Amino acid sequence: MVVSIIIFLLIFSILVVCHEFGHYIVAKKNGIHATEFFVGIGPKIIKWTRNDTEFSIRALPFGGACVFDGLDELEEGVELKDGSFLKASVWARIATTLAGPVFNIFLAYICGVILASTSGVTIPEIQEIIENSGAEEAGLRPGDIITEINGHSIHLAEEVSFSSYYSQGEEMTICIERDGKEIEYKVTPKFDTEDNRYYIGIINGRKIDCSAGQSLKYGFYNVEYILRATIDGIKMLFTGQVGKDDLAGPVGIVKVVDETYTVAKEYGVLNTVLSMVNIMMLLSANLAVMNLLPIPGLDGGRLLFLIIELIRRKPIPRDKEGYVTLVGMALLLGLVVFVFFNDIMKFFH
């Protein structure tokens, strides 16, 4: 478990550095001055200064930040100096705010390309049809390649599994490719009382190796799938299709890392590294989506204020934005505490 915790902290630190570097480099291009860039929290272990920005690594490897000049200036009427975040144009501030999540998506894409080029991908080709299933009744056959489900393009077998797993029994429109022809079927999943979920009724997926060009393409499909699955997961959380036990915080993620590491290490160093790259891809894409939620205290919350500023053609009063952000951060902290204790309680079930 100690090794797994170290791996998790290393992955998390990479995600934070990537995210904050996105903010930093785009801010710098737009003339916004960063006063500090740090990784971790607590006392500074190492620090250095470059281009009037203090860089530091702190004692506890949790989180990090890029601090911009004037970002937390709440008092109205105070003259902002050149290089201040609030003095920059609204489009420069939007670009700087978006850069963190965008860099996380790019990191996820790099991980996806690495995985596709080294491990290949699993395409959505049906291998077997389960007897008396919705798939059999609809007319699907082994060898069919699924290309679309309910209007969403399908490129990976995992996308089919995700659509099936969270099905509530509603009829699904599935498009397949057979002998070079596109055919559309209506499939009604059937409920399995033993597993307490609905199944389409197929054994799906064929592993293929990827050329350099295919790796670039499937790297994109990997990230597209994770982003869509994360967004759909958030929607299902609010609609009650998934519950609190489906949430995972740091403790839950460490558990996943530990289980993955325990299995992967039996197959050698390369397999272990690629398994951790897969986890990094998942977490980086998830971090991007979560940061873009329109909640004060997150990048999405700041973007919301900036969009309102664009519409109003004047900024929201700094003190009001500050108060709303403070409330948002308090709610986020409450959510973090809830998820943390929820993770702990799972160990006792």
Side-chain angles (χ1 to χ4, degrees):
M1 181 63 82
V2 173
V3 174
S4 299
I5 292 173
I6 292 172
I7 292 173
F8 166 73
L9 292 175
L10 178 60
I11 291 174
F12 187 64
S13 296
I14 292 171
L15 300 186
V16 169
V17 169
C18 179
H19 183 93
E20 298 302 333
F21 181 73
H23 289 314
Y24 171 77
I25 197 68
V26 173
K28 189 175 178 181
K29 293 291 184 182
N30 284 280
I32 299 172
H33 176 235
T35 58
E36 188 177 3
F37 188 117
F38 62 88
V39 179
I41 58 175
K44 299 172 185 176
I45 300 175
I46 304 171
K47 67 175 183 177
W48 66 98
T49 301
R50 184 175 180 182
N51 297 328
D52 294 326
T53 301
E54 182 185 271
F55 295 86
S56 64
I57 298 174
R58 303 197 176 194
L60 300 176
F62 302 104
C66 182
V67 182
F68 298 117
D69 192 8
L71 183 61
D72 298 319
E73 180 57 67
L74 300 181
E75 188 178 345
E76 298 290 342
V78 174
E79 185 177 352
L80 299 170
K81 58 185 179 180
D82 291 339
S84 168
F85 182 85
L86 296 176
K87 195 172 182 178
S89 71
V90 65
W91 287 111
R93 283 177 280 146
I94 287 174
T96 299
T97 304
L98 271 174
V102 168
F103 267 56
N104 278 131
I105 291 173
F106 182 68
L107 175 62
Y109 172 70
I110 295 299
C111 292
V113 171
I114 292 171
L115 291 169
S117 62
T118 54
S119 303
V121 295
T122 307
I123 62 171
E125 180 178 309
I126 297 174
Q127 302 300 301
E128 187 179 334
I129 301 292
I130 306 301
E131 290 185 5
N132 302 317
S133 66
E136 183 182 56
E137 292 175 0
L140 294 175
R141 304 176 190 169
D144 291 345
I145 298 175
I146 298 174
T147 58
E148 190 177 289
I149 296 180
N150 293 337
H152 290 291
S153 294
I154 301 295
H155 304 97
L156 302 166
E158 293 88 341
E159 295 175 277
V160 180
S161 300
F162 180 82
S163 298
S164 173
Y165 187 82
Y166 288 106
S167 166
Q168 296 298 299
E170 68 278 3
E171 184 181 72
M172 303 171 72
T173 301
I174 299 179
C175 295
I176 61 97
E177 181 183 312
R178 180 189 297 161
D179 299 326
K181 297 179 181 179
E182 290 280 345
I183 308 173
E184 181 180 293
Y185 290 96
K186 301 292 185 180
V187 180
T188 302
K190 291 190 174 182
F191 189 73
D192 187 300
T193 53
E194 186 176 330
D195 291 341
N196 195 35
R197 53 161 289 199
Y198 287 91
Y199 283 97
I200 297 173
I202 62 174
I203 295 175
N204 175 59
R206 177 168 65 87
K207 196 73 173 284
I208 63 168
D209 294 326
C210 293
S211 64
Q214 287 177 316
S215 296
L216 295 175
K217 179 177 69 173
Y218 278 102
F220 172 81
Y221 292 149
N222 272 326
V223 176
E224 180 188 41
Y225 159 59
I226 297 169
L227 292 175
R228 186 161 65 86
T230 304
I231 293 169
D232 287 347
I234 293 171
K235 290 178 184 176
M236 286 186 279
L237 183 64
F238 283 103
T239 57
Q241 286 179 256
V242 298
K244 64 182 180 66
D245 288 339
D246 294 293
L247 294 174
V251 176
I253 295 171
V254 168
K255 188 172 183 292
V256 171
V257 170
D258 185 59
E259 291 171 351
T260 305
Y261 172 74
T262 301
V263 173
K265 70 179 182 180
E266 301 296 328
Y267 297 92
V269 175
L270 178 60
N271 191 277
T272 303
V273 171
L274 291 176
S275 296
M276 296 306 109
V277 169
N278 185 54
I279 289 176
M280 185 184 296
M281 176 178 68
L282 291 167
L283 292 180
S284 194
N286 271 266
L287 180 62
V289 173
M290 298 306 293
N291 253 287
L292 286 173
L293 292 177
I295 300 172
L298 298 177
D299 290 332
R302 188 175 299 282
L303 279 171
L304 180 61
F305 285 124
L306 291 170
I307 290 170
I308 293 173
E309 180 179 336
L310 270 177
I311 296 171
R312 296 174 75 236
R313 297 186 178 181
K314 62 179 180 179
I316 294 174
R318 295 176 204 162
D319 57 342
K320 290 183 173 59
E321 181 178 343
Y323 295 143
V324 173
T325 300
L326 189 62
V327 171
M329 292 183 71
L331 292 173
L332 281 174
L333 181 60
L335 178 61
V336 169
V337 172
F338 170 78
V339 172
F340 177 80
F341 279 103
N342 190 53
D343 280 347
I344 296 296
M345 292 305 296
K346 288 177 186 177
F347 285 101
F348 297 98
H349 289 291

